Amino acid sequence: GAGVSQSPRYKVAKRGQDVALRCDPISGHVSLFWYQQALGQGPEFLTYFQNEAQLDKSGLPSDRFFAERPEGSVSTLKIQRTQQEDSAVYLCASSLGVAAETRTGELFFGEGSRLTVL
Amino acid sequence: DAKTTQPTSMDCAEGRAANLPCNHSTISGNEYVYWYRQIHSQGPQYIIHGLKNNETNEMASLIITEDRKSSTLILPHATLRDTAVYYCIVRVVDSGAGSYQLTFGKGTKLSVIP
């Protein structure tokens, strides 16, 4: 499809396991965002990429969280040594680019990856 | 980015207009007002945004007060599919380098009732 694609949709991990969540943004989109959404809460910003450059990682909750976008397209969010508090939906969003956002203001979100840590 | 205040929940009868208020009394001159919604088990979806003029598109209308301290999102004829959490967000948009992340609050849960 033409939208933002995330995989896996559901992931169950045992505490202490490492997980990797993938995001395929819309083709040609320069900006890519990761958000974390706990149950009953609004999404919370984790990190932002412009092409392959990670320009803002201020929202990453700990050094167990790592994100990359090596070729400026697909991005991976990696969580090491998962803890129960990491259980959440992880949302990826993309947008055309910096200048375009002043015109449309639109971020396109994927359906998210639901992580459950037991 | 400025904070926003929204009611926790609202009901609306199917076919009637849904008016969702948002207070953003600390908004700065270069901050836009954005509305997104999130239907259950889906990612947020962009609805509309504006700076100071009222805006309308195929989904909704956005009315911003003259002092820009509050706004209202209007869904003119609500349907059952409009049941969702609606987020009002204020955000700086410029052409410089930096982050353009959205800061979501808890939003308003709108229930459209048959």
PDB file of all heavy atoms in Angstrom, chain A residues 33 35 37 41-43 45 48 56 98 101-107 109-110, chain B residues 34 36 38 43-44 46 49 87 91 93-94 98-102 104-106:
ATOM      1  N   PHE A  33       9.355   9.983  12.285  1.00  0.00           N
ATOM      2  CA  PHE A  33       9.209  10.145  13.732  1.00  0.00           C
ATOM      3  C   PHE A  33       8.860   8.797  14.348  1.00  0.00           C
ATOM      4  O   PHE A  33       8.116   8.010  13.766  1.00  0.00           O
ATOM      5  CB  PHE A  33       8.058  11.107  14.052  1.00  0.00           C
ATOM      6  CG  PHE A  33       8.189  12.475  13.440  1.00  0.00           C
ATOM      7  CD1 PHE A  33       7.875  12.690  12.113  1.00  0.00           C
ATOM      8  CD2 PHE A  33       8.597  13.551  14.202  1.00  0.00           C
ATOM      9  CE1 PHE A  33       7.970  13.942  11.540  1.00  0.00           C
ATOM     10  CE2 PHE A  33       8.698  14.814  13.651  1.00  0.00           C
ATOM     11  CZ  PHE A  33       8.385  15.003  12.314  1.00  0.00           C
ATOM     12  N   TYR A  35       7.043   7.389  17.994  1.00  0.00           N
ATOM     13  CA  TYR A  35       6.293   7.737  19.184  1.00  0.00           C
ATOM     14  C   TYR A  35       6.015   6.470  19.987  1.00  0.00           C
ATOM     15  O   TYR A  35       5.915   5.384  19.433  1.00  0.00           O
ATOM     16  CB  TYR A  35       4.944   8.374  18.823  1.00  0.00           C
ATOM     17  CG  TYR A  35       5.033   9.804  18.363  1.00  0.00           C
ATOM     18  CD1 TYR A  35       5.382  10.111  17.051  1.00  0.00           C
ATOM     19  CD2 TYR A  35       4.766  10.852  19.231  1.00  0.00           C
ATOM     20  CE1 TYR A  35       5.469  11.418  16.629  1.00  0.00           C
ATOM     21  CE2 TYR A  35       4.846  12.167  18.812  1.00  0.00           C
ATOM     22  CZ  TYR A  35       5.197  12.438  17.515  1.00  0.00           C
ATOM     23  OH  TYR A  35       5.287  13.749  17.100  1.00  0.00           O
ATOM     24  N   GLN A  37       3.144   4.999  22.756  1.00  0.00           N
ATOM     25  CA  GLN A  37       1.824   5.266  23.309  1.00  0.00           C
ATOM     26  C   GLN A  37       1.450   4.200  24.326  1.00  0.00           C
ATOM     27  O   GLN A  37       1.184   3.055  23.962  1.00  0.00           O
ATOM     28  CB  GLN A  37       0.765   5.342  22.206  1.00  0.00           C
ATOM     29  CG  GLN A  37      -0.602   5.769  22.717  1.00  0.00           C
ATOM     30  CD  GLN A  37      -1.581   6.064  21.604  1.00  0.00           C
ATOM     31  OE1 GLN A  37      -1.457   5.547  20.495  1.00  0.00           O
ATOM     32  NE2 GLN A  37      -2.564   6.918  21.875  1.00  0.00           N
ATOM     33  N   GLN A  41      -3.166   6.683  27.063  1.00  0.00           N
ATOM     34  CA  GLN A  41      -2.440   7.946  26.982  1.00  0.00           C
ATOM     35  C   GLN A  41      -2.288   8.392  25.534  1.00  0.00           C
ATOM     36  O   GLN A  41      -2.472   7.597  24.607  1.00  0.00           O
ATOM     37  CB  GLN A  41      -1.039   7.800  27.598  1.00  0.00           C
ATOM     38  CG  GLN A  41      -1.028   7.297  29.029  1.00  0.00           C
ATOM     39  CD  GLN A  41      -1.670   8.279  29.972  1.00  0.00           C
ATOM     40  OE1 GLN A  41      -1.412   9.486  29.919  1.00  0.00           O
ATOM     41  NE2 GLN A  41      -2.545   7.773  30.835  1.00  0.00           N
ATOM     42  N   GLY A  42      -1.935   9.656  25.335  1.00  0.00           N
ATOM     43  CA  GLY A  42      -1.607  10.132  24.002  1.00  0.00           C
ATOM     44  C   GLY A  42      -0.209   9.681  23.619  1.00  0.00           C
ATOM     45  O   GLY A  42       0.599   9.319  24.478  1.00  0.00           O
ATOM     46  N   PRO A  43       0.090   9.680  22.333  1.00  0.00           N
ATOM     47  CA  PRO A  43       1.443   9.304  21.897  1.00  0.00           C
ATOM     48  C   PRO A  43       2.485  10.259  22.455  1.00  0.00           C
ATOM     49  O   PRO A  43       2.244  11.467  22.539  1.00  0.00           O
ATOM     50  CB  PRO A  43       1.359   9.408  20.370  1.00  0.00           C
ATOM     51  CG  PRO A  43      -0.096   9.328  20.048  1.00  0.00           C
ATOM     52  CD  PRO A  43      -0.795   9.962  21.191  1.00  0.00           C
ATOM     53  N   PHE A  45       6.515  11.543  22.007  1.00  0.00           N
ATOM     54  CA  PHE A  45       7.620  11.603  21.067  1.00  0.00           C
ATOM     55  C   PHE A  45       8.846  10.869  21.582  1.00  0.00           C
ATOM     56  O   PHE A  45       9.208  10.992  22.757  1.00  0.00           O
ATOM     57  CB  PHE A  45       7.970  13.071  20.818  1.00  0.00           C
ATOM     58  CG  PHE A  45       9.235  13.291  20.057  1.00  0.00           C
ATOM     59  CD1 PHE A  45       9.279  13.110  18.687  1.00  0.00           C
ATOM     60  CD2 PHE A  45      10.387  13.698  20.713  1.00  0.00           C
ATOM     61  CE1 PHE A  45      10.448  13.331  17.980  1.00  0.00           C
ATOM     62  CE2 PHE A  45      11.558  13.917  20.013  1.00  0.00           C
ATOM     63  CZ  PHE A  45      11.601  13.735  18.643  1.00  0.00           C
ATOM     64  N   TYR A  48      13.359  11.734  16.078  1.00  0.00           N
ATOM     65  CA  TYR A  48      13.049  12.315  14.768  1.00  0.00           C
ATOM     66  C   TYR A  48      14.255  12.196  13.838  1.00  0.00           C
ATOM     67  O   TYR A  48      15.385  12.477  14.240  1.00  0.00           O
ATOM     68  CB  TYR A  48      12.661  13.777  14.956  1.00  0.00           C
ATOM     69  CG  TYR A  48      12.695  14.639  13.711  1.00  0.00           C
ATOM     70  CD1 TYR A  48      11.792  14.432  12.675  1.00  0.00           C
ATOM     71  CD2 TYR A  48      13.625  15.674  13.582  1.00  0.00           C
ATOM     72  CE1 TYR A  48      11.808  15.229  11.546  1.00  0.00           C
ATOM     73  CE2 TYR A  48      13.657  16.473  12.453  1.00  0.00           C
ATOM     74  CZ  TYR A  48      12.739  16.249  11.438  1.00  0.00           C
ATOM     75  OH  TYR A  48      12.759  17.037  10.312  1.00  0.00           O
ATOM     76  N   ASP A  56      16.860  14.639  16.507  1.00  0.00           N
ATOM     77  CA  ASP A  56      16.312  14.824  17.844  1.00  0.00           C
ATOM     78  C   ASP A  56      16.044  13.452  18.443  1.00  0.00           C
ATOM     79  O   ASP A  56      15.266  12.688  17.877  1.00  0.00           O
ATOM     80  CB  ASP A  56      15.017  15.654  17.777  1.00  0.00           C
ATOM     81  CG  ASP A  56      14.485  16.051  19.153  1.00  0.00           C
ATOM     82  OD1 ASP A  56      14.918  15.481  20.177  1.00  0.00           O
ATOM     83  OD2 ASP A  56      13.607  16.934  19.203  1.00  0.00           O
ATOM     84  N   VAL A  98      10.563  19.169   5.631  1.00  0.00           N
ATOM     85  CA  VAL A  98      10.458  20.345   6.488  1.00  0.00           C
ATOM     86  C   VAL A  98       9.603  21.422   5.829  1.00  0.00           C
ATOM     87  O   VAL A  98       8.650  21.911   6.401  1.00  0.00           O
ATOM     88  CB  VAL A  98      11.853  20.889   6.818  1.00  0.00           C
ATOM     89  CG1 VAL A  98      11.744  22.218   7.515  1.00  0.00           C
ATOM     90  CG2 VAL A  98      12.607  19.888   7.664  1.00  0.00           C
ATOM     91  N   GLU A 101       5.828  20.789   5.345  1.00  0.00           N
ATOM     92  CA  GLU A 101       4.956  20.759   6.511  1.00  0.00           C
ATOM     93  C   GLU A 101       4.291  22.114   6.744  1.00  0.00           C
ATOM     94  O   GLU A 101       3.256  22.191   7.386  1.00  0.00           O
ATOM     95  CB  GLU A 101       5.737  20.342   7.747  1.00  0.00           C
ATOM     96  CG  GLU A 101       6.049  18.851   7.736  1.00  0.00           C
ATOM     97  CD  GLU A 101       6.963  18.458   8.866  1.00  0.00           C
ATOM     98  OE1 GLU A 101       8.172  18.582   8.698  1.00  0.00           O
ATOM     99  OE2 GLU A 101       6.456  18.057   9.911  1.00  0.00           O
ATOM    100  N   THR A 102       4.878  23.176   6.243  1.00  0.00           N
ATOM    101  CA  THR A 102       4.213  24.452   6.447  1.00  0.00           C
ATOM    102  C   THR A 102       2.961  24.544   5.578  1.00  0.00           C
ATOM    103  O   THR A 102       2.077  25.338   5.841  1.00  0.00           O
ATOM    104  CB  THR A 102       5.144  25.630   6.106  1.00  0.00           C
ATOM    105  OG1 THR A 102       5.493  25.544   4.724  1.00  0.00           O
ATOM    106  CG2 THR A 102       6.394  25.581   6.941  1.00  0.00           C
ATOM    107  N   ARG A 103       2.900  23.724   4.540  1.00  0.00           N
ATOM    108  CA  ARG A 103       1.735  23.759   3.668  1.00  0.00           C
ATOM    109  C   ARG A 103       0.649  22.803   4.142  1.00  0.00           C
ATOM    110  O   ARG A 103      -0.505  23.152   4.226  1.00  0.00           O
ATOM    111  CB  ARG A 103       2.128  23.421   2.232  1.00  0.00           C
ATOM    112  CG  ARG A 103       3.017  24.483   1.591  1.00  0.00           C
ATOM    113  CD  ARG A 103       3.078  24.260   0.094  1.00  0.00           C
ATOM    114  NE  ARG A 103       3.777  23.026  -0.253  1.00  0.00           N
ATOM    115  CZ  ARG A 103       5.089  22.938  -0.372  1.00  0.00           C
ATOM    116  NH1 ARG A 103       5.850  23.979  -0.145  1.00  0.00           N
ATOM    117  NH2 ARG A 103       5.647  21.799  -0.709  1.00  0.00           N
ATOM    118  N   THR A 104       1.010  21.586   4.448  1.00  0.00           N
ATOM    119  CA  THR A 104      -0.017  20.607   4.787  1.00  0.00           C
ATOM    120  C   THR A 104      -0.062  20.311   6.278  1.00  0.00           C
ATOM    121  O   THR A 104      -1.097  19.921   6.789  1.00  0.00           O
ATOM    122  CB  THR A 104       0.211  19.281   4.045  1.00  0.00           C
ATOM    123  OG1 THR A 104       1.365  18.647   4.584  1.00  0.00           O
ATOM    124  CG2 THR A 104       0.387  19.509   2.560  1.00  0.00           C
ATOM    125  N   GLY A 105       1.026  20.452   6.943  1.00  0.00           N
ATOM    126  CA  GLY A 105       1.072  20.156   8.375  1.00  0.00           C
ATOM    127  C   GLY A 105       0.816  18.710   8.704  1.00  0.00           C
ATOM    128  O   GLY A 105       0.524  18.371   9.829  1.00  0.00           O
ATOM    129  N   GLU A 106       0.910  17.841   7.717  1.00  0.00           N
ATOM    130  CA  GLU A 106       0.421  16.491   7.933  1.00  0.00           C
ATOM    131  C   GLU A 106       1.532  15.487   8.162  1.00  0.00           C
ATOM    132  O   GLU A 106       2.455  15.369   7.356  1.00  0.00           O
ATOM    133  CB  GLU A 106      -0.409  16.047   6.733  1.00  0.00           C
ATOM    134  CG  GLU A 106      -1.056  14.687   6.893  1.00  0.00           C
ATOM    135  CD  GLU A 106      -2.089  14.415   5.816  1.00  0.00           C
ATOM    136  OE1 GLU A 106      -2.219  15.230   4.883  1.00  0.00           O
ATOM    137  OE2 GLU A 106      -2.762  13.372   5.908  1.00  0.00           O
ATOM    138  N   LEU A 107       1.438  14.785   9.278  1.00  0.00           N
ATOM    139  CA  LEU A 107       2.243  13.603   9.524  1.00  0.00           C
ATOM    140  C   LEU A 107       1.361  12.392   9.241  1.00  0.00           C
ATOM    141  O   LEU A 107       0.207  12.343   9.651  1.00  0.00           O
ATOM    142  CB  LEU A 107       2.727  13.549  10.972  1.00  0.00           C
ATOM    143  CG  LEU A 107       4.095  14.172  11.289  1.00  0.00           C
ATOM    144  CD1 LEU A 107       4.093  15.656  10.997  1.00  0.00           C
ATOM    145  CD2 LEU A 107       4.478  13.908  12.738  1.00  0.00           C
ATOM    146  N   PHE A 109       0.757   8.557   9.945  1.00  0.00           N
ATOM    147  CA  PHE A 109       1.106   7.549  10.938  1.00  0.00           C
ATOM    148  C   PHE A 109       0.819   6.144  10.428  1.00  0.00           C
ATOM    149  O   PHE A 109      -0.160   5.919   9.693  1.00  0.00           O
ATOM    150  CB  PHE A 109       0.310   7.761  12.225  1.00  0.00           C
ATOM    151  CG  PHE A 109       0.814   8.875  13.088  1.00  0.00           C
ATOM    152  CD1 PHE A 109       0.466  10.189  12.835  1.00  0.00           C
ATOM    153  CD2 PHE A 109       1.654   8.610  14.162  1.00  0.00           C
ATOM    154  CE1 PHE A 109       0.933  11.220  13.632  1.00  0.00           C
ATOM    155  CE2 PHE A 109       2.123   9.634  14.976  1.00  0.00           C
ATOM    156  CZ  PHE A 109       1.757  10.940  14.704  1.00  0.00           C
ATOM    157  N   GLY A 110       1.657   5.203  10.862  1.00  0.00           N
ATOM    158  CA  GLY A 110       1.347   3.802  10.672  1.00  0.00           C
ATOM    159  C   GLY A 110       0.386   3.329  11.747  1.00  0.00           C
ATOM    160  O   GLY A 110      -0.028   4.101  12.621  1.00  0.00           O
TER     161      GLY A 110
ATOM    162  N   TYR B  34      -3.102  22.485  15.457  1.00  0.00           N
ATOM    163  CA  TYR B  34      -3.337  21.272  14.679  1.00  0.00           C
ATOM    164  C   TYR B  34      -4.386  20.410  15.391  1.00  0.00           C
ATOM    165  O   TYR B  34      -4.458  20.377  16.610  1.00  0.00           O
ATOM    166  CB  TYR B  34      -2.056  20.426  14.581  1.00  0.00           C
ATOM    167  CG  TYR B  34      -1.005  20.960  13.660  1.00  0.00           C
ATOM    168  CD1 TYR B  34      -0.199  22.030  14.043  1.00  0.00           C
ATOM    169  CD2 TYR B  34      -0.804  20.388  12.423  1.00  0.00           C
ATOM    170  CE1 TYR B  34       0.776  22.518  13.199  1.00  0.00           C
ATOM    171  CE2 TYR B  34       0.179  20.870  11.566  1.00  0.00           C
ATOM    172  CZ  TYR B  34       0.966  21.940  11.967  1.00  0.00           C
ATOM    173  OH  TYR B  34       1.926  22.415  11.119  1.00  0.00           O
ATOM    174  N   TYR B  36      -5.627  16.329  15.262  1.00  0.00           N
ATOM    175  CA  TYR B  36      -5.500  14.950  14.804  1.00  0.00           C
ATOM    176  C   TYR B  36      -6.568  14.127  15.525  1.00  0.00           C
ATOM    177  O   TYR B  36      -7.050  14.517  16.584  1.00  0.00           O
ATOM    178  CB  TYR B  36      -4.127  14.364  15.150  1.00  0.00           C
ATOM    179  CG  TYR B  36      -3.028  14.731  14.188  1.00  0.00           C
ATOM    180  CD1 TYR B  36      -2.510  16.018  14.154  1.00  0.00           C
ATOM    181  CD2 TYR B  36      -2.502  13.790  13.316  1.00  0.00           C
ATOM    182  CE1 TYR B  36      -1.508  16.370  13.270  1.00  0.00           C
ATOM    183  CE2 TYR B  36      -1.487  14.120  12.423  1.00  0.00           C
ATOM    184  CZ  TYR B  36      -0.998  15.411  12.415  1.00  0.00           C
ATOM    185  OH  TYR B  36       0.002  15.745  11.531  1.00  0.00           O
ATOM    186  N   GLN B  38      -7.606   9.839  16.555  1.00  0.00           N
ATOM    187  CA  GLN B  38      -7.128   8.474  16.602  1.00  0.00           C
ATOM    188  C   GLN B  38      -8.311   7.548  16.858  1.00  0.00           C
ATOM    189  O   GLN B  38      -8.890   7.554  17.954  1.00  0.00           O
ATOM    190  CB  GLN B  38      -6.061   8.302  17.688  1.00  0.00           C
ATOM    191  CG  GLN B  38      -5.381   6.939  17.663  1.00  0.00           C
ATOM    192  CD  GLN B  38      -4.195   6.863  18.611  1.00  0.00           C
ATOM    193  OE1 GLN B  38      -4.102   7.599  19.587  1.00  0.00           O
ATOM    194  NE2 GLN B  38      -3.260   5.961  18.313  1.00  0.00           N
ATOM    195  N   GLY B  43      -3.349   4.396  14.004  1.00  0.00           N
ATOM    196  CA  GLY B  43      -2.485   5.528  14.267  1.00  0.00           C
ATOM    197  C   GLY B  43      -3.252   6.830  14.142  1.00  0.00           C
ATOM    198  O   GLY B  43      -4.316   6.881  13.529  1.00  0.00           O
ATOM    199  N   PRO B  44      -2.740   7.915  14.716  1.00  0.00           N
ATOM    200  CA  PRO B  44      -3.407   9.214  14.579  1.00  0.00           C
ATOM    201  C   PRO B  44      -3.524   9.629  13.115  1.00  0.00           C
ATOM    202  O   PRO B  44      -2.679   9.279  12.280  1.00  0.00           O
ATOM    203  CB  PRO B  44      -2.483  10.162  15.354  1.00  0.00           C
ATOM    204  CG  PRO B  44      -1.765   9.298  16.330  1.00  0.00           C
ATOM    205  CD  PRO B  44      -1.574   7.990  15.609  1.00  0.00           C
ATOM    206  N   TYR B  46      -4.311  13.027  10.605  1.00  0.00           N
ATOM    207  CA  TYR B  46      -4.396  14.479  10.496  1.00  0.00           C
ATOM    208  C   TYR B  46      -5.802  14.898  10.085  1.00  0.00           C
ATOM    209  O   TYR B  46      -6.432  14.267   9.222  1.00  0.00           O
ATOM    210  CB  TYR B  46      -3.386  14.960   9.458  1.00  0.00           C
ATOM    211  CG  TYR B  46      -3.557  16.390   8.994  1.00  0.00           C
ATOM    212  CD1 TYR B  46      -3.031  17.448   9.724  1.00  0.00           C
ATOM    213  CD2 TYR B  46      -4.231  16.675   7.812  1.00  0.00           C
ATOM    214  CE1 TYR B  46      -3.172  18.762   9.293  1.00  0.00           C
ATOM    215  CE2 TYR B  46      -4.387  17.977   7.373  1.00  0.00           C
ATOM    216  CZ  TYR B  46      -3.844  19.007   8.110  1.00  0.00           C
ATOM    217  OH  TYR B  46      -3.990  20.302   7.680  1.00  0.00           O
ATOM    218  N   HIS B  49      -5.324  22.097  10.189  1.00  0.00           N
ATOM    219  CA  HIS B  49      -4.510  22.986  10.997  1.00  0.00           C
ATOM    220  C   HIS B  49      -4.724  24.424  10.540  1.00  0.00           C
ATOM    221  O   HIS B  49      -5.206  24.678   9.425  1.00  0.00           O
ATOM    222  CB  HIS B  49      -3.027  22.611  10.953  1.00  0.00           C
ATOM    223  CG  HIS B  49      -2.288  23.022   9.706  1.00  0.00           C
ATOM    224  ND1 HIS B  49      -2.546  22.465   8.468  1.00  0.00           N
ATOM    225  CD2 HIS B  49      -1.299  23.922   9.513  1.00  0.00           C
ATOM    226  CE1 HIS B  49      -1.742  22.990   7.570  1.00  0.00           C
ATOM    227  NE2 HIS B  49      -0.971  23.882   8.164  1.00  0.00           N
ATOM    228  N   TYR B  87      -7.228  15.039  19.230  1.00  0.00           N
ATOM    229  CA  TYR B  87      -6.116  15.741  19.862  1.00  0.00           C
ATOM    230  C   TYR B  87      -5.964  17.138  19.258  1.00  0.00           C
ATOM    231  O   TYR B  87      -5.880  17.283  18.034  1.00  0.00           O
ATOM    232  CB  TYR B  87      -4.805  14.982  19.646  1.00  0.00           C
ATOM    233  CG  TYR B  87      -4.748  13.611  20.272  1.00  0.00           C
ATOM    234  CD1 TYR B  87      -4.971  12.471  19.516  1.00  0.00           C
ATOM    235  CD2 TYR B  87      -4.435  13.460  21.619  1.00  0.00           C
ATOM    236  CE1 TYR B  87      -4.894  11.208  20.085  1.00  0.00           C
ATOM    237  CE2 TYR B  87      -4.361  12.199  22.195  1.00  0.00           C
ATOM    238  CZ  TYR B  87      -4.582  11.081  21.413  1.00  0.00           C
ATOM    239  OH  TYR B  87      -4.503   9.834  21.985  1.00  0.00           O
ATOM    240  N   ARG B  91       1.955  23.936  17.752  1.00  0.00           N
ATOM    241  CA  ARG B  91       3.280  23.540  17.292  1.00  0.00           C
ATOM    242  C   ARG B  91       3.907  24.640  16.459  1.00  0.00           C
ATOM    243  O   ARG B  91       3.252  25.245  15.617  1.00  0.00           O
ATOM    244  CB  ARG B  91       3.122  22.280  16.457  1.00  0.00           C
ATOM    245  CG  ARG B  91       4.323  21.770  15.704  1.00  0.00           C
ATOM    246  CD  ARG B  91       3.853  20.547  14.950  1.00  0.00           C
ATOM    247  NE  ARG B  91       4.893  19.922  14.176  1.00  0.00           N
ATOM    248  CZ  ARG B  91       4.767  19.634  12.886  1.00  0.00           C
ATOM    249  NH1 ARG B  91       3.675  19.944  12.247  1.00  0.00           N
ATOM    250  NH2 ARG B  91       5.738  19.027  12.249  1.00  0.00           N
ATOM    251  N   VAL B  93       6.092  25.875  13.448  1.00  0.00           N
ATOM    252  CA  VAL B  93       6.495  25.370  12.138  1.00  0.00           C
ATOM    253  C   VAL B  93       7.351  26.433  11.484  1.00  0.00           C
ATOM    254  O   VAL B  93       6.911  27.550  11.288  1.00  0.00           O
ATOM    255  CB  VAL B  93       5.279  25.057  11.242  1.00  0.00           C
ATOM    256  CG1 VAL B  93       5.750  24.545   9.877  1.00  0.00           C
ATOM    257  CG2 VAL B  93       4.391  24.038  11.899  1.00  0.00           C
ATOM    258  N   ASP B  94       8.607  26.083  11.178  1.00  0.00           N
ATOM    259  CA  ASP B  94       9.456  27.013  10.441  1.00  0.00           C
ATOM    260  C   ASP B  94      10.332  26.211   9.491  1.00  0.00           C
ATOM    261  O   ASP B  94      10.249  24.999   9.446  1.00  0.00           O
ATOM    262  CB  ASP B  94      10.285  27.874  11.394  1.00  0.00           C
ATOM    263  CG  ASP B  94      11.218  27.047  12.269  1.00  0.00           C
ATOM    264  OD1 ASP B  94      11.897  26.145  11.733  1.00  0.00           O
ATOM    265  OD2 ASP B  94      11.251  27.289  13.474  1.00  0.00           O
ATOM    266  N   GLY B  98      15.688  21.287  12.664  1.00  0.00           N
ATOM    267  CA  GLY B  98      15.194  21.012  14.006  1.00  0.00           C
ATOM    268  C   GLY B  98      14.065  20.026  13.982  1.00  0.00           C
ATOM    269  O   GLY B  98      13.731  19.466  12.954  1.00  0.00           O
ATOM    270  N   SER B  99      13.489  19.801  15.111  1.00  0.00           N
ATOM    271  CA  SER B  99      12.452  18.791  15.235  1.00  0.00           C
ATOM    272  C   SER B  99      11.081  19.406  15.039  1.00  0.00           C
ATOM    273  O   SER B  99      10.824  20.509  15.478  1.00  0.00           O
ATOM    274  CB  SER B  99      12.540  18.138  16.609  1.00  0.00           C
ATOM    275  OG  SER B  99      11.496  17.214  16.771  1.00  0.00           O
ATOM    276  N   TYR B 100      10.240  18.684  14.373  1.00  0.00           N
ATOM    277  CA  TYR B 100       8.892  19.129  14.133  1.00  0.00           C
ATOM    278  C   TYR B 100       7.913  18.182  14.777  1.00  0.00           C
ATOM    279  O   TYR B 100       6.812  17.981  14.280  1.00  0.00           O
ATOM    280  CB  TYR B 100       8.660  19.247  12.620  1.00  0.00           C
ATOM    281  CG  TYR B 100       9.603  20.266  12.067  1.00  0.00           C
ATOM    282  CD1 TYR B 100      10.862  19.901  11.651  1.00  0.00           C
ATOM    283  CD2 TYR B 100       9.256  21.607  12.046  1.00  0.00           C
ATOM    284  CE1 TYR B 100      11.752  20.853  11.189  1.00  0.00           C
ATOM    285  CE2 TYR B 100      10.139  22.555  11.587  1.00  0.00           C
ATOM    286  CZ  TYR B 100      11.390  22.172  11.159  1.00  0.00           C
ATOM    287  OH  TYR B 100      12.266  23.113  10.706  1.00  0.00           O
ATOM    288  N   GLN B 101       8.332  17.644  15.908  1.00  0.00           N
ATOM    289  CA  GLN B 101       7.483  16.658  16.549  1.00  0.00           C
ATOM    290  C   GLN B 101       6.220  17.294  17.098  1.00  0.00           C
ATOM    291  O   GLN B 101       6.195  18.443  17.466  1.00  0.00           O
ATOM    292  CB  GLN B 101       8.283  15.956  17.648  1.00  0.00           C
ATOM    293  CG  GLN B 101       8.946  16.895  18.638  1.00  0.00           C
ATOM    294  CD  GLN B 101       8.255  16.904  19.961  1.00  0.00           C
ATOM    295  OE1 GLN B 101       7.125  16.506  20.062  1.00  0.00           O
ATOM    296  NE2 GLN B 101       8.933  17.365  20.988  1.00  0.00           N
ATOM    297  N   LEU B 102       5.166  16.502  17.123  1.00  0.00           N
ATOM    298  CA  LEU B 102       3.897  16.887  17.731  1.00  0.00           C
ATOM    299  C   LEU B 102       3.898  16.454  19.182  1.00  0.00           C
ATOM    300  O   LEU B 102       4.347  15.366  19.503  1.00  0.00           O
ATOM    301  CB  LEU B 102       2.738  16.205  17.007  1.00  0.00           C
ATOM    302  CG  LEU B 102       2.573  16.517  15.515  1.00  0.00           C
ATOM    303  CD1 LEU B 102       1.584  15.548  14.897  1.00  0.00           C
ATOM    304  CD2 LEU B 102       2.116  17.939  15.331  1.00  0.00           C
ATOM    305  N   PHE B 104       1.420  15.448  21.911  1.00  0.00           N
ATOM    306  CA  PHE B 104       0.034  15.062  22.142  1.00  0.00           C
ATOM    307  C   PHE B 104      -0.299  15.153  23.631  1.00  0.00           C
ATOM    308  O   PHE B 104       0.521  14.807  24.471  1.00  0.00           O
ATOM    309  CB  PHE B 104      -0.208  13.620  21.703  1.00  0.00           C
ATOM    310  CG  PHE B 104      -0.154  13.385  20.221  1.00  0.00           C
ATOM    311  CD1 PHE B 104       1.049  13.203  19.574  1.00  0.00           C
ATOM    312  CD2 PHE B 104      -1.320  13.321  19.468  1.00  0.00           C
ATOM    313  CE1 PHE B 104       1.105  12.975  18.201  1.00  0.00           C
ATOM    314  CE2 PHE B 104      -1.282  13.088  18.100  1.00  0.00           C
ATOM    315  CZ  PHE B 104      -0.066  12.918  17.467  1.00  0.00           C
ATOM    316  N   GLY B 105      -1.512  15.600  23.941  1.00  0.00           N
ATOM    317  CA  GLY B 105      -2.038  15.480  25.300  1.00  0.00           C
ATOM    318  C   GLY B 105      -2.876  14.224  25.373  1.00  0.00           C
ATOM    319  O   GLY B 105      -2.609  13.250  24.668  1.00  0.00           O
ATOM    320  N   LYS B 106      -3.892  14.245  26.235  1.00  0.00           N
ATOM    321  CA  LYS B 106      -4.773  13.077  26.340  1.00  0.00           C
ATOM    322  C   LYS B 106      -5.965  13.169  25.405  1.00  0.00           C
ATOM    323  O   LYS B 106      -6.662  12.188  25.174  1.00  0.00           O
ATOM    324  CB  LYS B 106      -5.253  12.911  27.779  1.00  0.00           C
ATOM    325  CG  LYS B 106      -4.137  12.517  28.735  1.00  0.00           C
ATOM    326  CD  LYS B 106      -4.687  12.107  30.079  1.00  0.00           C
ATOM    327  CE  LYS B 106      -3.548  11.636  30.977  1.00  0.00           C
ATOM    328  NZ  LYS B 106      -4.039  11.185  32.289  1.00  0.00           N
TER     329      LYS B 106
END
